[in-house]
Amino acid sequence: MAGATLALDYRDALQVLLAIEETVKFPQAMLQGMGEKLLEFHQQRFTEQKSPDGTPWQSLSARYQKRKRKNADKILTRDGHLRNTLRWQVNANELLFGTDRDYGAIHQFGGTIQIKSRPQQAYYRTKRNSDGKTEVGNQFVSKKKSNFSQWHTLPNYSITIPARPWLGISATDTERLLEIARQSFQRKTGG
């Protein structure tokens, strides 16, 4: 070899490897960053009303949309409880993300809910007819507007809810999460 010498100080390489090992052993800070990013992705998904793969959620049935008063044009957003209960949590070396609401699963996967028959009190308003007799109106009213109530038995029925996937990550989301991991390693290694 003519006139060239390469000297490698193994201590620099060892420091980089030790920093990477620390990040792998104790990934809590990296996972917390990922948890915040997951929350951001899912909040945006509720705004756009699309599944992780970009498919729009199936629209509401006309019957349900008519009955729905608040946020009638929003899917999976009656009162905002599902969206507002999304949480992330880091346990040791794992990141957990989701909701504690039972109905989150049926909206994700779809399914049929069986409702058993049950008694229910209905409220009406009575009025006097032209003969001076009292008759019960044929429309339900709120309890405070009623002056007559009657118990009825509602029969068994079922409700079918289509799958509207809201939980998950897209290919773009995956790239953003990987970027958080890369940045975490770069901070540790000084790169």
Side-chain angles (χ1 to χ4, degrees):
M1 289 220 208
T5 306
L6 176 64
L8 176 64
D9 186 353
Y10 73 91
R11 290 176 289 192
D12 291 338
L14 186 59
Q15 286 299 102
V16 169
L17 291 174
L18 290 174
I20 290 172
E21 179 188 30
E22 182 182 339
T23 302
V24 171
K25 275 187 175 178
F26 306 105
Q28 290 82 1
M30 178 181 66
L31 294 176
Q32 288 171 351
M34 289 177 168
E36 284 299 318
K37 192 53 81 173
L38 281 170
L39 192 57
E40 183 182 307
F41 297 156
H42 286 81
Q43 294 293 340
Q44 185 63 32
R45 194 158 298 135
F46 274 87
T47 300
E48 294 175 356
Q49 299 188 41
K50 293 181 179 178
S51 66
D53 67 4
T55 305
W57 291 334
Q58 182 176 334
S59 59
L60 300 172
S61 71
R63 182 176 171 202
Y64 181 70
Q65 196 166 14
K66 183 179 177 182
R67 193 172 57 130
K68 188 178 178 185
R69 293 183 184 100
K70 190 174 170 186
N71 294 316
D73 61 332
K74 296 290 184 182
I75 302 166
L76 298 187
T77 308
R78 186 162 115 201
D79 297 316
H81 295 303
L82 183 59
R83 178 183 185 154
N84 294 335
T85 60
L86 294 175
R87 301 283 183 270
W88 60 267
Q89 178 179 337
V90 174
N91 286 342
N93 295 334
E94 68 179 351
L95 172 63
L96 305 173
F97 184 86
T99 181
D100 61 353
R101 303 295 180 190
D102 294 339
Y103 55 85
I106 197 149
H107 288 305
Q108 176 78 12
F109 304 110
T112 301
I113 302 170
Q114 301 295 329
I115 310 293
K116 295 183 180 199
S117 67
R118 66 189 189 284
Q120 183 169 333
Q121 193 169 17
Y123 298 97
Y124 304 93
R125 183 114 183 109
T126 60
K127 56 185 174 185
R128 296 217 181 262
N129 63 20
S130 58
D131 299 346
K133 294 182 180 177
T134 302
E135 63 181 36
V136 176
N138 61 356
Q139 291 185 343
F140 300 119
V141 296
S142 66
K143 185 176 181 178
K144 68 180 181 181
K145 291 183 179 180
S146 74
N147 58 7
F148 178 77
S149 68
Q150 186 173 9
W151 283 92
H152 300 278
T153 300
L154 301 176
N156 294 335
Y157 66 98
S158 62
I159 299 171
T160 301
I161 297 176
R164 293 182 177 104
W166 57 273
L167 186 62
I169 56 175
S170 67
T172 305
D173 297 342
T174 300
E175 280 302 313
R176 290 181 182 159
L177 293 173
L178 289 174
E179 185 57 32
I180 290 172
R182 281 188 207 102
Q183 290 173 1
S184 181
F185 285 116
Q186 285 175 345
R187 277 191 298 277
K188 286 289 186 180
T189 60

